[in-house]
Amino acid sequence: MYPPTFDYVRANSVEEAVQLLQEHGDNAKLIAGGHSLIPAMKLRLMAPAVLIDISRLGLDTIMVDRGYGLRVGALATHHAIASSDEVRQLAAALAEAASVVGDVQVRNRGTIGGNLAHADPASDLPAAVLALGGEIHVTGPNGSRTIPADEFFLGLFTTALEPNEIITNIGFPNIGFKQVRSAYVKFPHPASGYAVVGVAACLEMDGETITTARVAANGAFDHATRLTAVEDALTGATLSAETLSAAAEKAADGFSTDDFMADLFASSEYRAHLLKVYTKRALLRAAGLA
Ligand SMILES: Cc1cc2nc3c(=O)[nH]c(=O)nc-3n(C[C@H](O)[C@H](O)[C@H](O)COP(=O)(O)OP(=O)(O)OC[C@H]3O[C@@H](n4cnc5c(N)ncnc54)[C@H](O)[C@@H]3O)c2cc1C
């Protein structure tokens, strides 16, 4: 199916993109890799009159910013993230999530900024960014601001981004200065490859003691969500396969059946079951005990 007709304009700077968004209002959409937007337009789920191309703004740098942590440009592709030595060493969960997005073509075009802004509940990157304590740096008509990942994902395809804001980069503060182990695993939908359930786990360690645990899920709920009962069970615990397995059993605690997504492929009960299984796998993998 072809998308509806639209006008196309390329922005040459972040400021120009913000200005174009203001100019065209609700009629415009940013386009980065186009791998979520164009399919949605082909399905007539969206029909923007103007596409503002931001793909050449140069926001694709992945760097360790001394004194801050890791910064990943909004236009970094899934492939660039999955194959970055810095991301693999400091934020393994993010590299692993990016490595299982779609197929080679999708990973070569799709971007982290587009993935987070689209906020598909079955996307892979949101849980990794949540578990790693990321923050989303955005620029809009009133300047720049930082949105903690914990406050970014609000619901189905809904984020805290204001209409005329652009994600410029995703930051992971202090990540190079702590002893952090992380991982991402998913149960992919057999046809689309999207996450039926995906879990990212991040363990901050002091020797063999887990000082902080952050665990988050995709696919299970209408937006990426932290599993706080698991985190509470792990904080202060001594690392062992038994401790991690027992904590994973709490993955669905605090949620009702209605909180879980359900569709033809996976009922809410099945998703709740998968959540425990994949939480255990993510924790064991992060700890190097898989
Ligand atoms: C066949 C196929 C399989 C896929 N499988 C998976 C999968 O398994 N897991 C997964 O996570 N994803 C999957 N995807 C989606 C893919 O990862 C997309 O690339 C990604 O979700 C969106 O990134 P994009 O750069 O393509 O964004 P676009 O499609 O260009 O944009 C998506 C949305 O984000 C907005 N946007 C883009 N960039 C920014 C920015 N910097 N600031 C603010 N708003 C912005 C756009 O306006 C638009 O609303 C799949 C896609 C396809 C086509």
Side-chain angles (χ1 to χ4, degrees):
M1 191 189 277
Y2 293 104
T5 54
F6 55 85
D7 286 336
Y8 169 90
V9 55
R10 172 171 290 150
N12 294 306
S13 66
V14 172
E15 292 70 27
E16 188 185 357
V18 171
Q19 196 185 325
L20 286 165
L21 278 173
Q22 285 182 284
E23 213 172 283
H24 295 287
D26 290 345
N27 294 322
K29 274 274 174 200
L30 300 174
I31 181 164
H35 274 53
S36 289
L37 182 60
I38 299 296
M41 289 170 66
K42 287 182 171 180
L43 291 167
R44 300 294 198 270
L45 297 172
M46 290 183 192
V50 182
L51 292 189
I52 302 166
D53 186 346
I54 57 168
S55 64
R56 297 197 188 166
L57 295 187
L59 299 172
D60 55 355
T61 307
I62 298 173
M63 61 180 287
V64 176
D65 186 344
R66 301 209 182 281
Y68 174 77
L70 178 67
R71 275 186 204 276
V72 179
L75 292 170
T77 62
H78 308 312
H79 170 72
I81 293 168
S83 52
S84 154
D85 288 341
E86 287 89 348
V87 181
R88 287 154 70 111
Q89 280 166 19
L90 300 175
L94 184 65
E96 291 177 5
S99 76
V100 294
V101 169
D103 53 30
V104 174
Q105 281 175 302
V106 176
R107 291 195 290 276
N108 276 328
R109 297 293 306 175
T111 66
I112 184 170
N115 196 285
L116 301 186
H118 193 59
D120 187 324
S123 281
D124 290 299
L125 303 195
V129 173
L130 261 183
L132 290 161
E135 47 188 31
I136 294 72
H137 298 279
V138 307
T139 297
N142 301 319
S144 299
R145 67 182 180 118
T146 299
I147 311 170
D150 281 323
E151 296 167 19
F152 188 77
F153 304 104
L154 302 181
L156 200 69
F157 299 104
T158 309
T159 70
L161 266 184
E162 295 293 339
N164 296 332
E165 286 182 324
I166 297 183
I167 301 174
T168 53
N169 70 83
I170 295 86
F172 299 92
N174 300 321
I175 203 149
F177 317 118
K178 297 180 286 194
Q179 194 191 338
V180 170
R181 304 178 187 182
S182 70
Y184 178 77
V185 290
K186 76 167 165 180
F187 179 84
H189 188 289
S192 71
Y194 276 92
V196 176
V197 168
V199 178
C202 178
L203 304 173
E204 269 177 54
M205 306 295 302
D206 180 5
E208 288 304 299
T209 303
I210 303 167
T211 53
T212 308
R214 291 176 62 98
V215 185
N218 297 313
F221 312 105
D222 71 358
H223 63 288
T225 302
R226 282 178 61 190
L227 308 178
T228 50
V230 178
E231 296 174 351
D232 292 346
L234 290 173
T235 304
T238 301
L239 187 69
S240 72
E242 291 70 30
T243 311
L244 299 177
S245 302
E249 280 301 308
K250 297 178 183 293
D253 287 10
F255 301 104
S256 74
T257 308
D258 289 346
D259 290 328
F260 284 88
M261 302 241 291
D263 53 30
L264 278 177
F265 182 73
S267 65
S268 45
E269 290 81 3
Y270 185 45
R271 277 189 162 82
H273 167 72
L274 287 176
L275 187 64
K276 292 183 192 178
V277 173
Y278 279 80
T279 298
K280 179 176 170 181
R281 291 184 187 180
L283 288 169
L284 291 172
R285 184 174 169 81
L289 298 171

CSV table of all heavy atoms in Angstrom, one decimal, residues 254-276:
chain,number,residue,atom,x,y,z
A,254,GLY,N,2.4,-6.8,41.8
A,254,GLY,CA,2.1,-5.4,41.7
A,254,GLY,C,1.3,-5.0,40.5
A,254,GLY,O,0.8,-3.9,40.3
A,255,PHE,N,1.1,-6.0,39.6
A,255,PHE,CA,0.4,-5.7,38.3
A,255,PHE,C,-0.9,-6.6,38.4
A,255,PHE,O,-0.8,-7.8,38.9
A,255,PHE,CB,1.2,-6.1,37.1
A,255,PHE,CG,2.5,-5.3,37.0
A,255,PHE,CD1,3.7,-5.8,37.3
A,255,PHE,CD2,2.4,-3.9,36.6
A,255,PHE,CE1,4.9,-5.1,37.2
A,255,PHE,CE2,3.6,-3.2,36.5
A,255,PHE,CZ,4.8,-3.8,36.8
A,256,SER,N,-2.0,-6.1,37.8
A,256,SER,CA,-3.2,-7.0,37.7
A,256,SER,C,-3.2,-7.6,36.3
A,256,SER,O,-2.5,-7.1,35.4
A,256,SER,CB,-4.4,-6.2,38.0
A,256,SER,OG,-4.7,-5.3,36.8
A,257,THR,N,-4.0,-8.5,36.1
A,257,THR,CA,-4.2,-9.2,34.7
A,257,THR,C,-4.5,-8.1,33.7
A,257,THR,O,-4.0,-8.1,32.6
A,257,THR,CB,-5.3,-10.2,34.7
A,257,THR,OG1,-5.0,-11.1,35.8
A,257,THR,CG2,-5.3,-11.0,33.4
A,258,ASP,N,-5.3,-7.1,34.1
A,258,ASP,CA,-5.7,-6.1,33.1
A,258,ASP,C,-4.5,-5.2,32.7
A,258,ASP,O,-4.6,-4.5,31.7
A,258,ASP,CB,-6.8,-5.2,33.7
A,258,ASP,CG,-8.1,-5.9,33.8
A,258,ASP,OD1,-8.2,-7.0,33.2
A,258,ASP,OD2,-9.0,-5.4,34.6
A,259,ASP,N,-3.5,-5.1,33.5
A,259,ASP,CA,-2.3,-4.3,33.2
A,259,ASP,C,-1.6,-4.9,32.0
A,259,ASP,O,-0.9,-4.1,31.3
A,259,ASP,CB,-1.4,-4.2,34.4
A,259,ASP,CG,-2.0,-3.3,35.5
A,259,ASP,OD1,-2.7,-2.4,35.2
A,259,ASP,OD2,-1.6,-3.6,36.7
A,260,PHE,N,-1.7,-6.2,31.8
A,260,PHE,CA,-0.9,-6.8,30.7
A,260,PHE,C,-1.6,-6.7,29.4
A,260,PHE,O,-2.8,-6.7,29.3
A,260,PHE,CB,-0.7,-8.3,31.0
A,260,PHE,CG,0.3,-8.6,32.1
A,260,PHE,CD1,0.0,-8.6,33.4
A,260,PHE,CD2,1.7,-8.8,31.8
A,260,PHE,CE1,0.9,-8.8,34.4
A,260,PHE,CE2,2.6,-9.0,32.8
A,260,PHE,CZ,2.2,-9.0,34.1
A,261,MET,N,-0.8,-6.5,28.4
A,261,MET,CA,-1.4,-6.5,27.0
A,261,MET,C,-1.8,-7.9,26.6
A,261,MET,O,-1.3,-8.9,27.2
A,261,MET,CB,-0.3,-6.1,26.0
A,261,MET,CG,0.4,-4.8,26.3
A,261,MET,SD,0.1,-3.6,25.0
A,261,MET,CE,1.2,-4.3,23.8
A,262,ALA,N,-2.8,-7.9,25.8
A,262,ALA,CA,-3.3,-9.2,25.3
A,262,ALA,C,-3.7,-9.1,23.8
A,262,ALA,O,-4.2,-8.0,23.4
A,262,ALA,CB,-4.6,-9.6,26.1
A,263,ASP,N,-3.3,-10.1,23.0
A,263,ASP,CA,-3.7,-10.0,21.6
A,263,ASP,C,-3.9,-11.5,21.1
A,263,ASP,O,-3.8,-12.4,21.9
A,263,ASP,CB,-2.7,-9.3,20.7
A,263,ASP,CG,-1.3,-9.8,20.9
A,263,ASP,OD1,-1.1,-11.0,21.2
A,263,ASP,OD2,-0.3,-9.0,20.8
A,264,LEU,N,-4.1,-11.6,19.8
A,264,LEU,CA,-4.3,-13.0,19.3
A,264,LEU,C,-3.2,-13.9,19.5
A,264,LEU,O,-3.3,-15.1,19.7
A,264,LEU,CB,-4.6,-12.9,17.8
A,264,LEU,CG,-6.0,-12.5,17.3
A,264,LEU,CD1,-6.0,-12.4,15.8
A,264,LEU,CD2,-7.0,-13.6,17.8
A,265,PHE,N,-2.0,-13.4,19.6
A,265,PHE,CA,-0.8,-14.2,19.7
A,265,PHE,C,-0.5,-14.6,21.2
A,265,PHE,O,-0.1,-15.7,21.5
A,265,PHE,CB,0.4,-13.5,19.1
A,265,PHE,CG,1.7,-14.4,19.2
A,265,PHE,CD1,1.8,-15.5,18.4
A,265,PHE,CD2,2.6,-14.2,20.1
A,265,PHE,CE1,2.9,-16.3,18.5
A,265,PHE,CE2,3.7,-15.0,20.2
A,265,PHE,CZ,3.9,-16.1,19.4
A,266,ALA,N,-0.7,-13.7,22.1
A,266,ALA,CA,-0.3,-13.9,23.5
A,266,ALA,C,-1.4,-13.3,24.4
A,266,ALA,O,-1.6,-12.1,24.4
A,266,ALA,CB,1.1,-13.4,23.8
A,267,SER,N,-2.0,-14.1,25.3
A,267,SER,CA,-3.0,-13.6,26.3
A,267,SER,C,-2.2,-12.8,27.4
A,267,SER,O,-1.0,-12.9,27.5
A,267,SER,CB,-3.7,-14.8,26.9
A,267,SER,OG,-2.8,-15.6,27.6
A,268,SER,N,-2.9,-12.1,28.2
A,268,SER,CA,-2.3,-11.5,29.3
A,268,SER,C,-1.6,-12.5,30.3
A,268,SER,O,-0.6,-12.2,30.8
A,268,SER,CB,-3.2,-10.5,30.0
A,268,SER,OG,-4.5,-11.2,30.3
A,269,GLU,N,-2.3,-13.6,30.5
A,269,GLU,CA,-1.7,-14.6,31.4
A,269,GLU,C,-0.4,-15.2,30.8
A,269,GLU,O,0.6,-15.4,31.6
A,269,GLU,CB,-2.7,-15.8,31.6
A,269,GLU,CG,-4.0,-15.5,32.4
A,269,GLU,CD,-5.0,-14.8,31.6
A,269,GLU,OE1,-4.9,-14.6,30.3
A,269,GLU,OE2,-6.1,-14.4,32.2
A,270,TYR,N,-0.4,-15.4,29.5
A,270,TYR,CA,0.8,-15.9,28.9
A,270,TYR,C,2.0,-14.9,29.0
A,270,TYR,O,3.1,-15.2,29.3
A,270,TYR,CB,0.5,-16.3,27.4
A,270,TYR,CG,1.7,-16.9,26.7
A,270,TYR,CD1,2.5,-17.9,27.3
A,270,TYR,CD2,2.1,-16.5,25.4
A,270,TYR,CE1,3.5,-18.5,26.6
A,270,TYR,CE2,3.1,-17.1,24.7
A,270,TYR,CZ,3.8,-18.1,25.3
A,270,TYR,OH,4.9,-18.7,24.7
A,271,ARG,N,1.6,-13.6,28.8
A,271,ARG,CA,2.6,-12.5,28.9
A,271,ARG,C,3.2,-12.5,30.3
A,271,ARG,O,4.4,-12.3,30.5
A,271,ARG,CB,2.0,-11.2,28.5
A,271,ARG,CG,2.0,-11.0,27.0
A,271,ARG,CD,1.7,-9.5,26.6
A,271,ARG,NE,2.1,-9.2,25.3
A,271,ARG,CZ,1.4,-9.4,24.1
A,271,ARG,NH1,0.2,-10.1,24.2
A,271,ARG,NH2,1.8,-9.1,23.0
A,272,ALA,N,2.3,-12.6,31.3
A,272,ALA,CA,2.7,-12.6,32.7
A,272,ALA,C,3.7,-13.8,33.0
A,272,ALA,O,4.7,-13.6,33.6
A,272,ALA,CB,1.5,-12.7,33.6
A,273,HIS,N,3.4,-14.9,32.4
A,273,HIS,CA,4.3,-16.1,32.5
A,273,HIS,C,5.7,-15.8,31.8
A,273,HIS,O,6.7,-16.0,32.4
A,273,HIS,CB,3.6,-17.3,31.9
A,273,HIS,CG,4.6,-18.4,31.7
A,273,HIS,ND1,5.1,-19.2,32.7
A,273,HIS,CD2,5.2,-18.9,30.6
A,273,HIS,CE1,5.9,-20.1,32.3
A,273,HIS,NE2,6.0,-20.0,30.9
A,274,LEU,N,5.6,-15.2,30.6
A,274,LEU,CA,6.8,-14.9,29.9
A,274,LEU,C,7.7,-13.9,30.6
A,274,LEU,O,8.9,-13.9,30.6
A,274,LEU,CB,6.5,-14.4,28.5
A,274,LEU,CG,6.0,-15.3,27.4
A,274,LEU,CD1,5.6,-14.6,26.1
A,274,LEU,CD2,7.0,-16.4,27.1
A,275,LEU,N,7.0,-13.0,31.3
A,275,LEU,CA,7.7,-11.9,32.0
A,275,LEU,C,8.6,-12.5,33.1
A,275,LEU,O,9.8,-12.1,33.2
A,275,LEU,CB,6.7,-10.9,32.6
A,275,LEU,CG,7.3,-9.7,33.3
A,275,LEU,CD1,8.0,-8.8,32.2
A,275,LEU,CD2,6.2,-8.9,34.0
A,276,LYS,N,8.1,-13.5,33.8
A,276,LYS,CA,9.0,-14.1,34.8
A,276,LYS,C,10.1,-14.9,34.2
A,276,LYS,O,11.3,-14.8,34.6
A,276,LYS,CB,8.1,-15.1,35.7
A,276,LYS,CG,7.1,-14.5,36.5
A,276,LYS,CD,6.4,-15.5,37.3
A,276,LYS,CE,5.1,-14.9,38.0
A,276,LYS,NZ,4.4,-15.9,38.8
